[in-house]
Amino acid sequence: MHMNKWVILNKKLNIENKKLRTEKIVNVLLSNRGLKTKKEIDNFLNPKLSDLTIDNAGIDRKEIDKSVKRIKRAIEDKEQIIVFGDYDVDGICGSAILWEKLNDLGAKVLPYIPHRTSEGYGLSEIGIKNILIKHPDTSLIITVDNGIVANKAVESANKNNIDVIITDHHVPSAKLPKAFSIVHTTSLCGTGVAYMLSKQLKTKNEKRKTGKEFDHLSLVSIATVADLVPLMGLNRVFLKFGLDELRKTKRQGLLALIKESAIEQKEIGIYEIGHILGPRINAMGRLELAMDSLRLLCTNDKKSSEALAKKLSITNQKRKDITIESFGHAKTKVRKEGKLGNIIITGDPSYQPGVIGLIASRLVEEFYRPSIVFSIGEKFSKASARSIAGFNIIEFIRKASDLLVDAGGHPMAAGFTIETSKMKQLKQKLEKLAENLITLEMLERTMRIDAEILLEDVNSSFYDELLKLSPVGVKNPQPVFLTKNLLVSEMRLVGIDKRHVAFKLISFENKSMDAIAFNLSEKANDIRIGDRIDVVYAIDKETWRGVARFKLKLRDFKK
């Protein structure tokens, strides 16, 4: 069982002073999330759609203007435009937005999503070649969620008299591609960047706001959650308004997927996107062709949307099975190697390129080390990397770029391609680098706690204040509290395989509360009824027969 180091982010809260506590605790939560000034706090608590501006997003206005002019010319001259997306949720949602917008404006436009295995990630020379076979008159390619490191591919497009407009949010490398224009910021998800460009594409007769633009916010909200971008600043605005749109969307494809997933449309939140809808949209690109996910988002036909939603769900189940099997294999392999180094680097020819990122994520979860997982091919191998807090994985991988074919990504997640013959050399190089760059402190799991509070603080008005922080997620986590010395008055193991623990806990002031600790039964081995324990938890509200009750969801506990 993993031991967590408990870190209280704010120790200033005087736990004895009962007055004004709710207000003080909320201020502590805001400050823990880096919100200090009145303006920052106001923007956070009251997100406004009018904040979604190019300048606030950190996008170069000149590049947007240049892109809009070029697109308008392409529409007028009936040029063949290709929207070149990526095969994950972010790339698919962004491609849907741009394709629909251009289509509405009368453009001659087609979407193109590369095949993960045969074409690889992002704009590539082979991708351009394949486009020209099918559409030889292509003269403008607009990328979505990729392209910022596609220097060679852009050169090849230029040689073929194709202009490239890049829209992307990944970390650029030292030299930018020689594209026609680059619409880029690392502060949004790829779909957010595509949305910002699409919003600028107005025609003379489009004075009024179209319902489409609002509806597109629902797609941005899905991508924002699925791509794990920080839910602060403009991403929070996108998510707050996007969730409202998603809960009332009339999109046939989304409605079919929501129905197929057996979730309540009005109840959709972060969890439903991150764990239910997102993985289904993602699954096609992992194992089959991502085009089907794009078709689902854009179709107006009820019958075909139902068939596609079913296909996505079946593929997602297959993806789950493959991931579980491959992760089990990888975990055994890592354990067999004996002593854990500062980084995990593993791989196998049996691992499908579409699931290596998921295997890497699970290895990080299991061993708490940055993890790189290879799908080993005969000539070339693909790798996916996931990191731990405080370690920039893309920067780290680029230190070995002399051995790589290409690399791209973010500080927490990245991917690259390498010639299989150079893998051993790369492993040695990265392991040596990791010895110096990753400290023992980084490898210690920490449980971040917002503040220590009393059980008496947990009431309706306090819970309502906590709700103002939602939607919660990356960089704006669900508030987590510590309460000490609670008496265990009841305790039992629950769940099919008895992996969870249910408690009844009582404070010195005699306030009692139910608590549940998921997957922590091993930790309860040395705890008996009558013991006093310290608990770390998030607060959950359950309404049953019209009566609201609070329940503590324990993240950790100890005697």
Side-chain angles (χ1 to χ4, degrees), residues 44-89:
F44 179 83
L45 293 176
N46 310 299
K48 292 181 278 300
L49 261 180
S50 54
D51 288 340
L52 292 177
T53 66
I54 292 161
D55 299 332
N56 284 347
I59 294 171
D60 186 333
R61 191 172 276 279
K62 286 208 300 276
E63 295 294 309
I64 279 242
D65 292 345
K66 207 173 159 190
S67 308
V68 169
K69 260 197 187 123
R70 179 68 187 88
I71 291 167
K72 283 191 171 162
R73 195 176 89 217
I75 295 172
E76 275 161 29
D77 298 348
K78 288 273 175 256
E79 290 179 59
Q80 177 64 65
I81 307 172
I82 298 285
V83 173
F84 194 103
D86 179 24
Y87 34 62
D88 70 355
V89 178

mmCIF file of all heavy atoms in Angstrom, residues 44-89:
data_model
loop_
_atom_site.group_PDB
_atom_site.id
_atom_site.type_symbol
_atom_site.label_atom_id
_atom_site.label_comp_id
_atom_site.label_asym_id
_atom_site.label_seq_id
_atom_site.Cartn_x
_atom_site.Cartn_y
_atom_site.Cartn_z
ATOM 1 N N PHE A 44 -12.473 34.324 -11.399
ATOM 2 C CA PHE A 44 -12.597 32.891 -11.135
ATOM 3 C C PHE A 44 -14.013 32.540 -10.684
ATOM 4 O O PHE A 44 -14.619 31.586 -11.175
ATOM 5 C CB PHE A 44 -11.588 32.481 -10.057
ATOM 6 C CG PHE A 44 -11.643 31.024 -9.698
ATOM 7 C CD1 PHE A 44 -10.985 30.077 -10.464
ATOM 8 C CD2 PHE A 44 -12.368 30.592 -8.585
ATOM 9 C CE1 PHE A 44 -11.044 28.725 -10.144
ATOM 10 C CE2 PHE A 44 -12.429 29.240 -8.249
ATOM 11 C CZ PHE A 44 -11.763 28.312 -9.028
ATOM 12 N N LEU A 45 -14.542 33.321 -9.751
ATOM 13 C CA LEU A 45 -15.869 33.004 -9.204
ATOM 14 C C LEU A 45 -17.002 33.370 -10.161
ATOM 15 O O LEU A 45 -18.073 32.788 -10.117
ATOM 16 C CB LEU A 45 -16.076 33.698 -7.851
ATOM 17 C CG LEU A 45 -15.177 33.200 -6.704
ATOM 18 C CD1 LEU A 45 -15.407 34.025 -5.455
ATOM 19 C CD2 LEU A 45 -15.414 31.721 -6.404
ATOM 20 N N ASN A 46 -16.742 34.356 -11.022
ATOM 21 C CA ASN A 46 -17.786 34.787 -11.961
ATOM 22 C C ASN A 46 -17.269 34.801 -13.396
ATOM 23 O O ASN A 46 -17.057 35.861 -13.972
ATOM 24 C CB ASN A 46 -18.279 36.202 -11.595
ATOM 25 C CG ASN A 46 -18.633 36.279 -10.125
ATOM 26 O OD1 ASN A 46 -19.503 35.576 -9.648
ATOM 27 N ND2 ASN A 46 -17.920 37.138 -9.396
ATOM 28 N N PRO A 47 -17.055 33.624 -13.982
ATOM 29 C CA PRO A 47 -16.520 33.586 -15.352
ATOM 30 C C PRO A 47 -17.495 34.263 -16.329
ATOM 31 O O PRO A 47 -18.702 34.134 -16.166
ATOM 32 C CB PRO A 47 -16.416 32.096 -15.658
ATOM 33 C CG PRO A 47 -16.583 31.386 -14.358
ATOM 34 C CD PRO A 47 -17.370 32.279 -13.479
ATOM 35 N N LYS A 48 -16.927 34.982 -17.303
ATOM 36 C CA LYS A 48 -17.773 35.689 -18.283
ATOM 37 C C LYS A 48 -17.378 35.274 -19.694
ATOM 38 O O LYS A 48 -16.186 35.201 -20.002
ATOM 39 C CB LYS A 48 -17.605 37.206 -18.118
ATOM 40 C CG LYS A 48 -18.181 37.741 -16.807
ATOM 41 C CD LYS A 48 -18.031 39.251 -16.680
ATOM 42 C CE LYS A 48 -16.671 39.708 -16.201
ATOM 43 N NZ LYS A 48 -16.282 39.199 -14.872
ATOM 44 N N LEU A 49 -18.387 35.051 -20.538
ATOM 45 C CA LEU A 49 -18.105 34.676 -21.927
ATOM 46 C C LEU A 49 -17.305 35.760 -22.642
ATOM 47 O O LEU A 49 -16.513 35.470 -23.532
ATOM 48 C CB LEU A 49 -19.420 34.447 -22.686
ATOM 49 C CG LEU A 49 -19.864 32.998 -22.841
ATOM 50 C CD1 LEU A 49 -21.169 32.924 -23.594
ATOM 51 C CD2 LEU A 49 -18.806 32.148 -23.549
ATOM 52 N N SER A 50 -17.518 37.015 -22.225
ATOM 53 C CA SER A 50 -16.811 38.129 -22.885
ATOM 54 C C SER A 50 -15.302 38.087 -22.624
ATOM 55 O O SER A 50 -14.525 38.785 -23.266
ATOM 56 C CB SER A 50 -17.385 39.468 -22.413
ATOM 57 O OG SER A 50 -17.349 39.522 -21.001
ATOM 58 N N ASP A 51 -14.881 37.224 -21.669
ATOM 59 C CA ASP A 51 -13.435 37.089 -21.412
ATOM 60 C C ASP A 51 -12.727 36.272 -22.497
ATOM 61 O O ASP A 51 -11.495 36.259 -22.560
ATOM 62 C CB ASP A 51 -13.190 36.397 -20.060
ATOM 63 C CG ASP A 51 -13.517 37.309 -18.888
ATOM 64 O OD1 ASP A 51 -13.548 38.541 -19.098
ATOM 65 O OD2 ASP A 51 -13.746 36.791 -17.772
ATOM 66 N N LEU A 52 -13.513 35.581 -23.327
ATOM 67 C CA LEU A 52 -12.897 34.723 -24.352
ATOM 68 C C LEU A 52 -12.390 35.556 -25.523
ATOM 69 O O LEU A 52 -12.960 35.544 -26.604
ATOM 70 C CB LEU A 52 -13.918 33.691 -24.854
ATOM 71 C CG LEU A 52 -14.350 32.606 -23.869
ATOM 72 C CD1 LEU A 52 -15.414 31.713 -24.484
ATOM 73 C CD2 LEU A 52 -13.159 31.748 -23.437
ATOM 74 N N THR A 53 -11.315 36.280 -25.289
ATOM 75 C CA THR A 53 -10.751 37.103 -26.366
ATOM 76 C C THR A 53 -9.397 36.556 -26.787
ATOM 77 O O THR A 53 -8.739 35.841 -26.030
ATOM 78 C CB THR A 53 -10.564 38.565 -25.900
ATOM 79 O OG1 THR A 53 -9.555 38.572 -24.871
ATOM 80 C CG2 THR A 53 -11.851 39.160 -25.352
ATOM 81 N N ILE A 54 -9.000 36.943 -27.997
ATOM 82 C CA ILE A 54 -7.713 36.504 -28.544
ATOM 83 C C ILE A 54 -6.565 36.944 -27.637
ATOM 84 O O ILE A 54 -5.636 36.189 -27.360
ATOM 85 C CB ILE A 54 -7.535 37.102 -29.967
ATOM 86 C CG1 ILE A 54 -8.554 36.455 -30.902
ATOM 87 C CG2 ILE A 54 -6.143 36.883 -30.500
ATOM 88 C CD1 ILE A 54 -8.803 37.237 -32.151
ATOM 89 N N ASP A 55 -6.664 38.196 -27.153
ATOM 90 C CA ASP A 55 -5.582 38.718 -26.304
ATOM 91 C C ASP A 55 -5.501 37.954 -24.982
ATOM 92 O O ASP A 55 -4.410 37.609 -24.527
ATOM 93 C CB ASP A 55 -5.789 40.220 -26.037
ATOM 94 C CG ASP A 55 -5.763 41.023 -27.347
ATOM 95 O OD1 ASP A 55 -5.089 40.554 -28.293
ATOM 96 O OD2 ASP A 55 -6.416 42.077 -27.432
ATOM 97 N N ASN A 56 -6.658 37.696 -24.364
ATOM 98 C CA ASN A 56 -6.646 36.938 -23.112
ATOM 99 C C ASN A 56 -6.088 35.534 -23.300
ATOM 100 O O ASN A 56 -5.521 34.949 -22.382
ATOM 101 C CB ASN A 56 -8.070 36.827 -22.521
ATOM 102 C CG ASN A 56 -8.504 38.126 -21.873
ATOM 103 O OD1 ASN A 56 -7.702 39.013 -21.641
ATOM 104 N ND2 ASN A 56 -9.793 38.241 -21.582
ATOM 105 N N ALA A 57 -6.265 34.983 -24.502
ATOM 106 C CA ALA A 57 -5.784 33.620 -24.765
ATOM 107 C C ALA A 57 -4.284 33.600 -25.068
ATOM 108 O O ALA A 57 -3.675 32.536 -25.120
ATOM 109 C CB ALA A 57 -6.549 33.023 -25.934
ATOM 110 N N GLY A 58 -3.708 34.788 -25.276
ATOM 111 C CA GLY A 58 -2.272 34.849 -25.593
ATOM 112 C C GLY A 58 -1.970 34.417 -27.016
ATOM 113 O O GLY A 58 -0.897 33.907 -27.326
ATOM 114 N N ILE A 59 -2.961 34.619 -27.914
ATOM 115 C CA ILE A 59 -2.760 34.270 -29.333
ATOM 116 C C ILE A 59 -2.364 35.538 -30.081
ATOM 117 O O ILE A 59 -2.890 36.615 -29.813
ATOM 118 C CB ILE A 59 -4.064 33.684 -29.937
ATOM 119 C CG1 ILE A 59 -4.384 32.335 -29.264
ATOM 120 C CG2 ILE A 59 -3.954 33.497 -31.441
ATOM 121 C CD1 ILE A 59 -5.748 31.766 -29.613
ATOM 122 N N ASP A 60 -1.430 35.411 -31.006
ATOM 123 C CA ASP A 60 -0.956 36.561 -31.788
ATOM 124 C C ASP A 60 -2.049 37.012 -32.765
ATOM 125 O O ASP A 60 -2.433 36.277 -33.673
ATOM 126 C CB ASP A 60 0.309 36.126 -32.555
ATOM 127 C CG ASP A 60 0.964 37.288 -33.293
ATOM 128 O OD1 ASP A 60 0.243 38.249 -33.655
ATOM 129 O OD2 ASP A 60 2.187 37.246 -33.503
ATOM 130 N N ARG A 61 -2.532 38.243 -32.562
ATOM 131 C CA ARG A 61 -3.643 38.758 -33.366
ATOM 132 C C ARG A 61 -3.282 38.837 -34.858
ATOM 133 O O ARG A 61 -4.107 38.580 -35.732
ATOM 134 C CB ARG A 61 -4.042 40.140 -32.846
ATOM 135 C CG ARG A 61 -5.335 40.659 -33.412
ATOM 136 C CD ARG A 61 -5.751 41.923 -32.693
ATOM 137 N NE ARG A 61 -6.458 41.643 -31.463
ATOM 138 C CZ ARG A 61 -7.750 41.323 -31.418
ATOM 139 N NH1 ARG A 61 -8.441 41.210 -32.525
ATOM 140 N NH2 ARG A 61 -8.348 41.097 -30.273
ATOM 141 N N LYS A 62 -2.027 39.193 -35.140
ATOM 142 C CA LYS A 62 -1.595 39.312 -36.549
ATOM 143 C C LYS A 62 -1.741 37.966 -37.259
ATOM 144 O O LYS A 62 -2.155 37.894 -38.410
ATOM 145 C CB LYS A 62 -0.123 39.764 -36.622
ATOM 146 C CG LYS A 62 0.098 41.231 -36.288
ATOM 147 C CD LYS A 62 1.331 41.795 -36.987
ATOM 148 C CE LYS A 62 2.620 41.101 -36.618
ATOM 149 N NZ LYS A 62 3.246 41.606 -35.349
ATOM 150 N N GLU A 63 -1.390 36.901 -36.534
ATOM 151 C CA GLU A 63 -1.463 35.554 -37.134
ATOM 152 C C GLU A 63 -2.922 35.152 -37.385
ATOM 153 O O GLU A 63 -3.240 34.522 -38.401
ATOM 154 C CB GLU A 63 -0.782 34.519 -36.222
ATOM 155 C CG GLU A 63 0.722 34.733 -36.059
ATOM 156 C CD GLU A 63 1.511 34.510 -37.343
ATOM 157 O OE1 GLU A 63 1.329 33.461 -37.988
ATOM 158 O OE2 GLU A 63 2.311 35.385 -37.712
ATOM 159 N N ILE A 64 -3.804 35.511 -36.456
ATOM 160 C CA ILE A 64 -5.241 35.207 -36.642
ATOM 161 C C ILE A 64 -5.777 35.972 -37.856
ATOM 162 O O ILE A 64 -6.446 35.404 -38.715
ATOM 163 C CB ILE A 64 -6.062 35.581 -35.377
ATOM 164 C CG1 ILE A 64 -5.949 34.474 -34.331
ATOM 165 C CG2 ILE A 64 -7.518 35.867 -35.718
ATOM 166 C CD1 ILE A 64 -7.233 33.773 -33.934
ATOM 167 N N ASP A 65 -5.452 37.275 -37.940
ATOM 168 C CA ASP A 65 -5.945 38.095 -39.062
ATOM 169 C C ASP A 65 -5.466 37.540 -40.395
ATOM 170 O O ASP A 65 -6.213 37.466 -41.374
ATOM 171 C CB ASP A 65 -5.488 39.557 -38.901
ATOM 172 C CG ASP A 65 -6.176 40.228 -37.713
ATOM 173 O OD1 ASP A 65 -7.186 39.674 -37.225
ATOM 174 O OD2 ASP A 65 -5.709 41.292 -37.254
ATOM 175 N N LYS A 66 -4.186 37.161 -40.401
ATOM 176 C CA LYS A 66 -3.596 36.603 -41.622
ATOM 177 C C LYS A 66 -4.331 35.313 -42.025
ATOM 178 O O LYS A 66 -4.650 35.084 -43.200
ATOM 179 C CB LYS A 66 -2.123 36.283 -41.320
ATOM 180 C CG LYS A 66 -1.216 36.323 -42.511
ATOM 181 C CD LYS A 66 0.233 36.157 -42.070
ATOM 182 C CE LYS A 66 1.055 35.693 -43.237
ATOM 183 N NZ LYS A 66 2.393 35.278 -42.869
ATOM 184 N N SER A 67 -4.631 34.475 -41.013
ATOM 185 C CA SER A 67 -5.327 33.205 -41.266
ATOM 186 C C SER A 67 -6.724 33.452 -41.821
ATOM 187 O O SER A 67 -7.150 32.796 -42.780
ATOM 188 C CB SER A 67 -5.440 32.394 -39.971
ATOM 189 O OG SER A 67 -4.182 32.263 -39.354
ATOM 190 N N VAL A 68 -7.446 34.401 -41.197
ATOM 191 C CA VAL A 68 -8.825 34.685 -41.615
ATOM 192 C C VAL A 68 -8.854 35.157 -43.064
ATOM 193 O O VAL A 68 -9.676 34.713 -43.864
ATOM 194 C CB VAL A 68 -9.470 35.725 -40.659
ATOM 195 C CG1 VAL A 68 -10.796 36.237 -41.214
ATOM 196 C CG2 VAL A 68 -9.685 35.110 -39.274
ATOM 197 N N LYS A 69 -7.923 36.052 -43.417
ATOM 198 C CA LYS A 69 -7.850 36.568 -44.797
ATOM 199 C C LYS A 69 -7.638 35.426 -45.786
ATOM 200 O O LYS A 69 -8.280 35.346 -46.829
ATOM 201 C CB LYS A 69 -6.666 37.538 -44.913
ATOM 202 C CG LYS A 69 -7.085 38.989 -44.853
ATOM 203 C CD LYS A 69 -5.955 39.865 -45.396
ATOM 204 C CE LYS A 69 -6.278 41.328 -45.185
ATOM 205 N NZ LYS A 69 -5.268 42.050 -44.414
ATOM 206 N N ARG A 70 -6.699 34.542 -45.431
ATOM 207 C CA ARG A 70 -6.360 33.425 -46.329
ATOM 208 C C ARG A 70 -7.550 32.477 -46.500
ATOM 209 O O ARG A 70 -7.845 32.000 -47.591
ATOM 210 C CB ARG A 70 -5.144 32.672 -45.764
ATOM 211 C CG ARG A 70 -4.692 31.456 -46.587
ATOM 212 C CD ARG A 70 -4.123 31.867 -47.931
ATOM 213 N NE ARG A 70 -3.843 30.737 -48.811
ATOM 214 C CZ ARG A 70 -4.726 30.204 -49.651
ATOM 215 N NH1 ARG A 70 -5.957 30.679 -49.708
ATOM 216 N NH2 ARG A 70 -4.372 29.211 -50.447
ATOM 217 N N ILE A 71 -8.249 32.220 -45.386
ATOM 218 C CA ILE A 71 -9.404 31.314 -45.441
ATOM 219 C C ILE A 71 -10.520 31.923 -46.290
ATOM 220 O O ILE A 71 -11.143 31.246 -47.104
ATOM 221 C CB ILE A 71 -9.901 30.975 -44.007
ATOM 222 C CG1 ILE A 71 -8.857 30.107 -43.287
ATOM 223 C CG2 ILE A 71 -11.246 30.251 -44.041
ATOM 224 C CD1 ILE A 71 -9.060 29.950 -41.788
ATOM 225 N N LYS A 72 -10.749 33.234 -46.120
ATOM 226 C CA LYS A 72 -11.811 33.902 -46.894
ATOM 227 C C LYS A 72 -11.518 33.832 -48.390
ATOM 228 O O LYS A 72 -12.409 33.612 -49.206
ATOM 229 C CB LYS A 72 -11.972 35.348 -46.432
ATOM 230 C CG LYS A 72 -12.740 35.425 -45.111
ATOM 231 C CD LYS A 72 -13.151 36.826 -44.768
ATOM 232 C CE LYS A 72 -14.108 36.813 -43.560
ATOM 233 N NZ LYS A 72 -14.214 38.101 -42.919
ATOM 234 N N ARG A 73 -10.230 34.004 -48.706
ATOM 235 C CA ARG A 73 -9.845 33.934 -50.126
ATOM 236 C C ARG A 73 -10.105 32.527 -50.665
ATOM 237 O O ARG A 73 -10.633 32.348 -51.758
ATOM 238 C CB ARG A 73 -8.355 34.290 -50.276
ATOM 239 C CG ARG A 73 -7.967 34.595 -51.719
ATOM 240 C CD ARG A 73 -6.524 35.045 -51.811
ATOM 241 N NE ARG A 73 -5.612 33.925 -51.988
ATOM 242 C CZ ARG A 73 -4.409 33.856 -51.437
ATOM 243 N NH1 ARG A 73 -3.980 34.824 -50.638
ATOM 244 N NH2 ARG A 73 -3.630 32.826 -51.661
ATOM 245 N N ALA A 74 -9.765 31.532 -49.833
ATOM 246 C CA ALA A 74 -9.971 30.130 -50.244
ATOM 247 C C ALA A 74 -11.455 29.827 -50.455
ATOM 248 O O ALA A 74 -11.828 29.093 -51.369
ATOM 249 C CB ALA A 74 -9.387 29.191 -49.198
ATOM 250 N N ILE A 75 -12.304 30.428 -49.610
ATOM 251 C CA ILE A 75 -13.750 30.194 -49.744
ATOM 252 C C ILE A 75 -14.258 30.831 -51.048
ATOM 253 O O ILE A 75 -14.973 30.197 -51.821
ATOM 254 C CB ILE A 75 -14.524 30.757 -48.526
ATOM 255 C CG1 ILE A 75 -14.137 29.986 -47.250
ATOM 256 C CG2 ILE A 75 -16.035 30.666 -48.748
ATOM 257 C CD1 ILE A 75 -14.686 30.557 -45.952
ATOM 258 N N GLU A 76 -13.825 32.091 -51.279
ATOM 259 C CA GLU A 76 -14.268 32.799 -52.493
ATOM 260 C C GLU A 76 -13.822 32.084 -53.757
ATOM 261 O O GLU A 76 -14.567 31.968 -54.722
ATOM 262 C CB GLU A 76 -13.728 34.237 -52.493
ATOM 263 C CG GLU A 76 -14.626 35.199 -51.718
ATOM 264 C CD GLU A 76 -13.890 36.471 -51.316
ATOM 265 O OE1 GLU A 76 -12.951 36.873 -52.042
ATOM 266 O OE2 GLU A 76 -14.235 37.038 -50.266
ATOM 267 N N ASP A 77 -12.570 31.594 -53.759
ATOM 268 C CA ASP A 77 -12.028 30.954 -54.966
ATOM 269 C C ASP A 77 -12.349 29.465 -55.054
ATOM 270 O O ASP A 77 -11.801 28.759 -55.904
ATOM 271 C CB ASP A 77 -10.506 31.152 -55.027
ATOM 272 C CG ASP A 77 -10.144 32.633 -55.104
ATOM 273 O OD1 ASP A 77 -11.076 33.440 -55.335
ATOM 274 O OD2 ASP A 77 -8.961 32.976 -54.897
ATOM 275 N N LYS A 78 -13.202 28.988 -54.137
ATOM 276 C CA LYS A 78 -13.577 27.565 -54.120
ATOM 277 C C LYS A 78 -12.355 26.641 -54.102
ATOM 278 O O LYS A 78 -12.323 25.593 -54.769
ATOM 279 C CB LYS A 78 -14.476 27.220 -55.326
ATOM 280 C CG LYS A 78 -15.900 27.786 -55.212
ATOM 281 C CD LYS A 78 -16.799 26.826 -54.441
ATOM 282 C CE LYS A 78 -18.194 27.373 -54.172
ATOM 283 N NZ LYS A 78 -18.416 27.827 -52.810
ATOM 284 N N GLU A 79 -11.339 27.027 -53.318
ATOM 285 C CA GLU A 79 -10.153 26.162 -53.196
ATOM 286 C C GLU A 79 -10.518 24.944 -52.338
ATOM 287 O O GLU A 79 -11.397 25.031 -51.481
ATOM 288 C CB GLU A 79 -9.027 26.922 -52.480
ATOM 289 C CG GLU A 79 -8.404 28.045 -53.275
ATOM 290 C CD GLU A 79 -7.322 28.742 -52.459
ATOM 291 O OE1 GLU A 79 -6.367 28.048 -52.055
ATOM 292 O OE2 GLU A 79 -7.438 29.953 -52.199
ATOM 293 N N GLN A 80 -9.791 23.851 -52.557
ATOM 294 C CA GLN A 80 -10.006 22.669 -51.710
ATOM 295 C C GLN A 80 -9.258 22.876 -50.386
ATOM 296 O O GLN A 80 -8.035 22.979 -50.359
ATOM 297 C CB GLN A 80 -9.490 21.400 -52.404
ATOM 298 C CG GLN A 80 -9.612 20.128 -51.561
ATOM 299 C CD GLN A 80 -11.046 19.745 -51.249
ATOM 300 O OE1 GLN A 80 -11.826 19.421 -52.128
ATOM 301 N NE2 GLN A 80 -11.421 19.812 -49.976
ATOM 302 N N ILE A 81 -10.022 22.943 -49.286
ATOM 303 C CA ILE A 81 -9.432 23.108 -47.943
ATOM 304 C C ILE A 81 -9.515 21.771 -47.209
ATOM 305 O O ILE A 81 -10.524 21.076 -47.290
ATOM 306 C CB ILE A 81 -10.200 24.170 -47.121
ATOM 307 C CG1 ILE A 81 -10.322 25.492 -47.884
ATOM 308 C CG2 ILE A 81 -9.542 24.394 -45.762
ATOM 309 C CD1 ILE A 81 -11.229 26.525 -47.202
ATOM 310 N N ILE A 82 -8.453 21.421 -46.496
ATOM 311 C CA ILE A 82 -8.472 20.221 -45.658
ATOM 312 C C ILE A 82 -8.261 20.647 -44.204
ATOM 313 O O ILE A 82 -7.293 21.351 -43.885
ATOM 314 C CB ILE A 82 -7.345 19.229 -46.058
ATOM 315 C CG1 ILE A 82 -7.521 18.738 -47.508
ATOM 316 C CG2 ILE A 82 -7.282 18.055 -45.065
ATOM 317 C CD1 ILE A 82 -8.606 17.718 -47.746
ATOM 318 N N VAL A 83 -9.178 20.224 -43.331
ATOM 319 C CA VAL A 83 -8.978 20.421 -41.883
ATOM 320 C C VAL A 83 -8.285 19.161 -41.378
ATOM 321 O O VAL A 83 -8.859 18.076 -41.389
ATOM 322 C CB VAL A 83 -10.325 20.636 -41.160
ATOM 323 C CG1 VAL A 83 -10.118 20.660 -39.651
ATOM 324 C CG2 VAL A 83 -10.988 21.932 -41.620
ATOM 325 N N PHE A 84 -7.023 19.319 -40.955
ATOM 326 C CA PHE A 84 -6.195 18.163 -40.595
ATOM 327 C C PHE A 84 -6.141 18.035 -39.072
ATOM 328 O O PHE A 84 -5.435 18.773 -38.402
ATOM 329 C CB PHE A 84 -4.780 18.347 -41.172
ATOM 330 C CG PHE A 84 -3.949 17.092 -41.163
ATOM 331 C CD1 PHE A 84 -3.758 16.370 -42.333
ATOM 332 C CD2 PHE A 84 -3.371 16.623 -39.983
ATOM 333 C CE1 PHE A 84 -2.992 15.209 -42.336
ATOM 334 C CE2 PHE A 84 -2.610 15.457 -39.973
ATOM 335 C CZ PHE A 84 -2.423 14.749 -41.155
ATOM 336 N N GLY A 85 -6.920 17.087 -38.538
ATOM 337 C CA GLY A 85 -7.029 16.975 -37.081
ATOM 338 C C GLY A 85 -6.089 15.960 -36.472
ATOM 339 O O GLY A 85 -5.178 15.444 -37.125
ATOM 340 N N ASP A 86 -6.347 15.670 -35.201
ATOM 341 C CA ASP A 86 -5.612 14.624 -34.501
ATOM 342 C C ASP A 86 -6.641 13.574 -34.095
ATOM 343 O O ASP A 86 -7.834 13.851 -34.057
ATOM 344 C CB ASP A 86 -4.913 15.219 -33.270
ATOM 345 C CG ASP A 86 -4.150 14.170 -32.471
ATOM 346 O OD1 ASP A 86 -3.774 13.139 -33.062
ATOM 347 O OD2 ASP A 86 -3.947 14.362 -31.257
ATOM 348 N N TYR A 87 -6.164 12.362 -33.749
ATOM 349 C CA TYR A 87 -7.124 11.271 -33.521
ATOM 350 C C TYR A 87 -7.602 11.165 -32.077
ATOM 351 O O TYR A 87 -8.246 10.195 -31.711
ATOM 352 C CB TYR A 87 -6.537 9.926 -33.971
ATOM 353 C CG TYR A 87 -5.048 9.792 -33.770
ATOM 354 C CD1 TYR A 87 -4.492 9.855 -32.497
ATOM 355 C CD2 TYR A 87 -4.184 9.618 -34.850
ATOM 356 C CE1 TYR A 87 -3.125 9.742 -32.311
ATOM 357 C CE2 TYR A 87 -2.813 9.506 -34.680
ATOM 358 C CZ TYR A 87 -2.291 9.563 -33.398
ATOM 359 O OH TYR A 87 -0.945 9.466 -33.217
ATOM 360 N N ASP A 88 -7.280 12.144 -31.223
ATOM 361 C CA ASP A 88 -7.815 12.078 -29.863
ATOM 362 C C ASP A 88 -9.024 13.004 -29.727
ATOM 363 O O ASP A 88 -9.396 13.704 -30.661
ATOM 364 C CB ASP A 88 -6.723 12.404 -28.838
ATOM 365 C CG ASP A 88 -6.304 13.866 -28.871
ATOM 366 O OD1 ASP A 88 -6.791 14.616 -29.754
ATOM 367 O OD2 ASP A 88 -5.484 14.275 -28.025
ATOM 368 N N VAL A 89 -9.633 13.009 -28.548
ATOM 369 C CA VAL A 89 -10.848 13.805 -28.322
ATOM 370 C C VAL A 89 -10.637 15.266 -28.701
ATOM 371 O O VAL A 89 -11.470 15.884 -29.365
ATOM 372 C CB VAL A 89 -11.277 13.729 -26.828
ATOM 373 C CG1 VAL A 89 -12.501 14.587 -26.578
ATOM 374 C CG2 VAL A 89 -11.561 12.289 -26.431
#
